[in-house]
Amino acid sequence: MIDITQPIYVLTIAAFVFGLIRMGNPATARSGILWAGIAMAFSIGATFFVPGISNLILIFPAILIGAVIGYVAARKVAIVDMPQMVAIYNGMGAGAASTIAAIELIKVGNSSFNIIVALVGAIIGNVSIAGSTIAFLKLQGWMRQKPITFFLQQVLNIVVMAVGILFGVLFLVHSSAIVSYRSSLIPFFALTIAYGFLMALPIGGADMPVLISLYNAMTGIAVGLEGFAISNYAMVVAGILVGAAGTILTVAMASAMNRSVGAILAGGFGKPQEENRAISGNLKPISSEDVAIMLAYSSTVAIVPGFGMASAQAQFKVRDLTDMLISKGIKVFFAIHPVAGRMPGHMNVLLAEAGVPYDLLMDREEANRAFQDVDVSLVIGANDVVNPAARIQGTPLYGMPILDVDKSKNVIVLKRGSGKGFAGIENDLFYMEKTKMLYGDAQESISKLIQELKKL
Amino acid sequence: MIITDWAWLYIILLAVFVGYEVISHVPVILHTPLMSGSNFIHGIVLVGAILALGYATNDVERVIGFVGVVMATLNVVGGYVVTERMLAMFKKKEGGK
């Protein structure tokens, strides 16, 4: 019988690459995932034709359980909760790679080379599943989002990982120095998983998207290595492909947020950074009534959304406000900073969910050309991405591309309180003469604005 | 067909370059969907999980293998649906500008 699985695996890899290329362009992105999906279905189907497969009575129910839970959970989750779903499904993939490692390692008679590959893959997979779980819990709000740090944390982490690896080595060399060499696998798995939990603790919720991307790359590598261990070429190539693509993506995401991957992994984000700049002026509060009047007499209004809009779930109200202003003959556009919010493209996704027409959205360059003609800029919970301090050498934000909101004639900042932004530094924009502060939850503030506008 | 150890290195090298090339020119707004899409692609681990359970010969292996297949299927199905939903947000963009 001809083995049909290999040709199908080859075509699958081709379709994965093609799908990824298409996913890299907004116009073709949706067909990209379809290509990858069809290829995946074929390669899974082909796997049942591999000679000698048994236990079908277990395989089918397992697939059914995973498929039902996976489908229902992914369908029901709200769009804003997508990052943690990516985290948990990524963790599942990593866990699956580790189970393959476990089964391979239990088998007697593997070559040392195979054992090393399976062990390394298991370490990466274990760190990824544990870390992804923490990322999921933090983003879901089931765990404190703030960085969790304690005395000698780094030392403990290194010791846990080192002892975990030691048990892996004992297994490899068939040494029963501590426990019988086969039982070494239990502390090996337990400690490397524990390291994964510990490693993610000091990383704040705001940095989670970068961390998830890193775990995604790690899962890819773990899958690739386990593919190596069981000589499955499709797993090797797809896994390494994701590992490479995921690594680039992680670096790109971190740099778009003006952070380095190393600094994120070191953790402790949110520590106030040293800042000795004196800012002149003061914060000037304004009532929603006055804002409504300002808006009503404007000819051009720019809306600058940020994380505050996402956390207050204010995108639907923002859309209502936009419709209202447009019906009054006012020109409205949205100035979208690529990393406004907590993940790249966050604002685009939320505004699309609320049904804001795409042609109202301007990217950074386009918006910056338009700000000088704007009567009122409405900054909804954005902070660092509109901070002119980014233009001043020596500030922590220096060099980060920003939206030139300070060029518009008036600025209204909707903000929960007078605290500092994500980067922990003062925002010069808020202290400018033309800037007024509208304090409160973004959703409530905008509802009030709409009420006031109706009265006019 | 058995691939020798050195041939593996060539394959891995090329896969790394392809992964790099595919991602390096992508606009920032697609980073999150692309992360989700590549998350789906490593769901190919299901193939390995099926093989591991399919060749399992004792109960310990069967239990671990069963868990592996469930987890890998969650990765595949959940990863696909999440990515699809995220990318559906971009359909208004077609012909947008």
Side-chain angles (χ1 to χ4, degrees), chain A residues 128-171:
Chain A
S128 181
I129 185 181
S132 299
T133 307
I134 297 283
F136 170 79
L137 293 174
K138 284 196 177 194
L139 287 173
Q140 187 71 19
W142 291 349
M143 202 177 138
R144 214 161 64 104
Q145 291 227 359
K146 289 232 160 62
I148 297 169
T149 51
F150 49 83
F151 184 58
L152 288 180
Q153 188 168 27
Q154 302 287 358
V155 177
L156 175 75
N157 291 2
I158 291 167
V159 170
V160 168
M161 184 47 121
V163 178
I165 292 173
L166 175 71
F167 278 104
V169 174
L170 291 178
F171 176 82

Side-chain angles (χ1 to χ4, degrees), chain A residues 250-264:
Chain A
T250 308
V251 174
M253 278 172 119
S255 68
M257 292 178 164
N258 204 31
R259 305 263 290 134
S260 78
V261 177
I264 289 170

